[in-house]
Amino acid sequence: MILSTFAGRASSFSFNTVRSAVSKNVARSYSSTSALNAAGKDQAEVILVGCGAPNRGMGWYHGIQMLEKQCPSASMDYVIEPWFMGAGAEGPGGADFKKTQAEWETDYGVKFAMSLSDLPPPQAPRLALISGRTADNPGLLTEAIATGSKCIYLEKPGAPTVGELEQMANEASAAGVEVLMGYNKNVCKYVRKTREFADANPGSHVTFVSNNAYENTPESLGECFERNAEGMLKNMAIHELALLVSFYDVSVDNIESVTADKEFSRMQTLPGPSGKMFTDFDRIKFTIKTKSGSEVSVAADRCGGTDSYATATDASGDEIFRYYMPDEEDKKHVEELQAKYPDAMPYFFTQDPDYITVKERVAKHTVDGAPAEGVATIQTAVETLKVAEYLRPALMEQLK
């Protein structure tokens, strides 16, 4: 598996060097006069790059968790949001964003800006958490490196194409900047429990099941297809593909066969809000066999509900194990979050502990250089994206 073992380089990084390298004449387009939220001892100075729409954007939920002190090693000091502070200010979601911005500035001292280039030099180990549009990520990574980020947390899938992600990996490596990925299911309880069961029961076949709670209507799915135009395999199901790469020896070179479950799967062409047509899976299930002898399945359903889970079946196909996310222990926490944020995307709550775990490990790594245990590297992401690009045409051909 390709997981983070990076330790030494981070701890030897000089912030005096960063401060001298970043322009001294910084244009600080801050909109608040409140005191700056500042990283304390043993904290990373976090820049949230791409807040997105409140209650819908993954960046927004990352921000909520950090402001609520769920990640002790992370101090969210800045938010970069070019869309809602620019062209999208008067469009859908613009008013909600302005309200959130005002609350975060007043209550927490967070500073908002339209560009990373507007920021001053880092005053603590700087972590850029990039959670914007996938197509913008290559440029945002370049800017994050140029403005003194010691480490970058990059949301999945990282980039639109393998070539772009490989270039990003090379750029970061040349700059001595570590890039770690937001593949939170790599650290999930249900994944660990299922893998442990399968290891203890040779011959078990594992299936990872991912669900979202979109309405099963052309309007809802069309909006989903347009907003996630990279496609389901590079978006919703990319977490499961990362599990296959990390734990099941799956790579393009090692895939012997991929077989779609035609009874479960469905592909549609639908108009998005812009009127443009988008073709994607709204549900897909497939089994991969590798040349090295592994066999594993994935199922993903945009309209399947809020729970993800994994199963193990025996040689006759009978289910012998199932573990949910959330499990019974976590359901009370999910209910509390639903009551607190009733308009937010339901999947935020089921994965809440795992988002916290990944962010805290990456932030701590940024500060002290200790390995971010279990967190996927950008090299994992490159291999995962290669698998996604391989699978999409193969599965579409089988579903014609």
Side-chain angles (χ1 to χ4, degrees), residues 176-233:
V177 174
E178 181 80 346
V179 182
L180 299 172
M181 302 298 300
Y183 282 123
N184 60 287
K185 290 186 179 179
N186 276 36
V187 302
C188 276
K189 186 195 303 184
Y190 84 102
V191 172
R192 184 182 75 251
K193 294 283 189 180
T194 305
R195 291 178 56 226
E196 288 172 352
F197 179 89
D199 287 346
N201 293 268
S204 301
H205 179 90
V206 171
T207 300
F208 293 107
V209 181
S210 177
N211 289 312
N212 279 171
Y214 290 91
E215 294 180 34
N216 192 3
T217 65
E219 294 76 18
S220 178
L221 289 171
E223 187 275 337
C224 173
F225 285 9
E226 180 165 347
R227 184 160 45 85
N228 304 294
E230 63 268 29
M232 178 189 269
L233 292 177

Side-chain angles (χ1 to χ4, degrees), residues 339-386:
K340 190 173 184 178
Y341 301 105
D343 298 322
M345 297 298 289
Y347 69 84
F348 291 160
F349 310 139
T350 58
Q351 301 181 61
D352 176 85
D354 308 306
Y355 295 142
I356 291 170
T357 296
V358 175
K359 277 198 296 295
E360 173 58 20
R361 289 180 184 179
V362 174
K364 188 175 186 301
H365 167 78
T366 303
V367 174
D368 62 20
E373 182 183 354
V375 179
T377 67
I378 195 170
Q379 287 75 28
T380 306
V382 168
E383 293 303 319
T384 300
L385 203 54
K386 286 180 179 179

